[in-house]
Amino acid sequence: MAFPQPRPQAPQLPQHLLRTIDCRQGAVRAVRFNADGNYLLSCGSDKTLKLWSGSKGTLLKTYSGHGYEVLDADSSYDNSQICSCSSDKTVILWDVGSGQVTRKLRGHAGKVSCVQFNEEATVILSGSIDGTVRCWDTRSRRYEPIQILDEARDGISSLKVAQHELLTGSVDGKVRRYDLRMGQLHVDFISSPITCVCFSQDGQCTLSSSLDSTVRLLDKSTGEMLGEYTGHKMKGYKLDCCLSSKDTHVLSCSEDGHVYCWDLVEGSLSLKLPVGKAVVQSLSFHPTETRLLTAMEAHTAAAGC
């Protein structure tokens, strides 16, 4: 009697380069998948934001309206709107189809480094070097923020929104988690300037990267350190980190031209993915598939299995 062969498991990390896109927008400061992973966003130092087809790598539209380099962007859940932020101190809400500026939001006192929609795309949250997070109502005709969070003692480098919670990372070395529904603030002190923060997919943990070349996994409710991931180089650049779509691996950009991928539970290095010879500035993991989007200098590359 023959036993059935075990079903081959799908790879949990991307291994092969699918495509390299020359974005032609100077240095690419950030790359992002949209909500369903079918489209890509690239933020350029040439003041433009570009929308690409995820399957073909073709340019679909260019969004021009910022006065200086674009640093971050996010797509709404229904793909009808994009928000972006820039060194010009503004946040722009775009209509995807027409490419037109729906609203240009001013109020930050310095460059705006991170931006994201809430789940319903009714609010845009933006973090700035001025140390504040500003919340903007996308449906209101008012141009003032509906809320300003100013607890950070230095610039906001990263923020993520999940349901009623907001996670921020600051150059002051603190990860702050706001329960917007309860009006509560939880603070974890990392001691080194934070470059990126994110929630785990299951919502139980937070991940943060900092300039001591360490990525840390913390229990969201207790702040207990669950894992430390090292080996990459992050000393002087604002680089991204993230979790894979099933929370099996921790990924981080590095200044040595690689993306480092660690086993979340064991903490061991599973894969050192070569991207190029320069600093890998940004990455984005596909929401459902084993695909990774990276940005380095003047091009972006999508890797997948």
Side-chain angles (χ1 to χ4, degrees):
M1 176 182 166
F3 288 99
Q5 291 291 316
R7 295 166 88 182
Q9 281 198 324
Q12 296 175 319
L13 289 171
Q15 310 265 354
H16 310 290
L17 181 67
L18 285 179
R19 184 178 294 109
T20 300
I21 304 170
D22 184 358
C23 292
R24 300 182 184 276
Q25 52 186 156
V28 181
R29 296 303 184 201
V31 283
R32 304 286 180 246
F33 278 110
N34 75 319
D36 58 20
N38 290 327
Y39 301 99
L40 321 174
L41 292 167
S42 61
C43 305
S45 64
D46 69 343
K47 312 175 191 176
T48 67
L49 173 70
K50 292 188 176 184
L51 178 70
W52 307 83
S53 161
S55 58
K56 298 177 182 176
T58 51
L59 178 63
L60 301 176
K61 197 167 281 290
T62 299
Y63 302 86
S64 301
H66 278 296
Y68 208 61
E69 58 184 6
V70 185
L71 298 177
D72 196 11
D74 189 31
S75 173
S76 63
Y77 70 96
D78 61 358
N79 300 323
S80 66
Q81 299 180 102
I82 296 171
C83 61
S84 62
C85 63
S86 166
S87 295
D88 66 6
K89 308 178 187 177
T90 69
V91 174
I92 292 183
L93 178 66
W94 306 87
D95 177 76
V96 169
S98 68
Q100 297 300 305
V101 174
T102 303
R103 295 178 63 188
K104 184 176 277 194
L105 303 165
R106 296 180 174 89
H108 281 294
K111 72 177 182 181
V112 189
S113 50
C114 46
V115 69
Q116 196 183 347
F117 284 111
N118 69 338
E119 211 165 347
E120 301 82 22
T122 54
V123 176
I124 297 171
L125 297 100
S126 57
S128 167
I129 197 172
D130 67 10
T132 69
V133 173
R134 291 172 190 250
C135 310
W136 314 85
D137 187 336
T138 59
R139 301 164 301 177
S140 167
R141 295 195 176 274
R142 293 179 59 201
Y143 281 78
E144 298 82 28
I146 53 176
Q147 190 172 3
I148 299 175
L149 305 171
D150 58 1
E151 285 76 18
R153 302 274 68 87
D154 210 325
I156 303 292
S157 56
S158 177
L159 63 78
K160 294 294 186 300
V161 191
Q163 296 175 326
H164 59 278
E165 291 186 311
L166 167 66
L167 192 67
T168 70
S170 171
V171 182
D172 67 10
K174 292 180 179 177
V175 176
R176 292 174 173 86
R177 180 172 58 88
Y178 297 85
D179 187 322
L180 300 174
R181 191 169 56 190
M182 303 296 290
Q184 295 175 338
L185 170 62
H186 308 267
V187 183
D188 292 305
F189 184 54
I190 301 298
S191 79
S192 179
I194 309 293
T195 66
C196 185
V197 293
C198 56
F199 289 105
S200 58
Q201 307 297 331
D202 65 7
Q204 301 300 305
C205 306
T206 66
L207 191 73
S208 60
S209 59
S210 49
L211 290 182
D212 57 357
S213 298
T214 306
V215 181
R216 293 172 175 87
L217 184 72
L218 302 180
D219 183 286
K220 188 182 78 174
S221 55
T222 66
E224 179 190 354
M225 181 91 69
L226 301 176
E228 279 188 309
Y229 309 90
T230 58
H232 62 300
K233 184 183 179 187
M234 194 184 298
K235 297 289 187 184
Y237 288 82
K238 178 190 176 296
L239 307 183
D240 288 342
C241 67
C242 72
L243 287 152
S244 60
S245 54
K246 293 184 171 63
D247 280 344
T248 57
H249 290 84
V250 172
L251 295 89
S252 175
C253 296
S254 179
E255 293 171 17
D256 64 7
H258 292 79
V259 170
Y260 285 69
C261 311
W262 298 270
D263 184 284
L264 180 136
V265 176
E266 296 178 5
S268 55
L269 186 66
S270 301
L271 180 66
K272 187 178 171 184
L273 199 63
V275 179
K277 294 181 179 178
V279 174
V280 184
Q281 287 211 310
S282 182
L283 55 75
S284 181
F285 208 94
H286 193 283
T288 54
E289 298 175 19
T290 306
R291 294 198 176 190
L292 179 68
L293 184 63
T294 63
M296 187 193 68
E297 287 193 322
H299 65 261
T300 71
C305 293

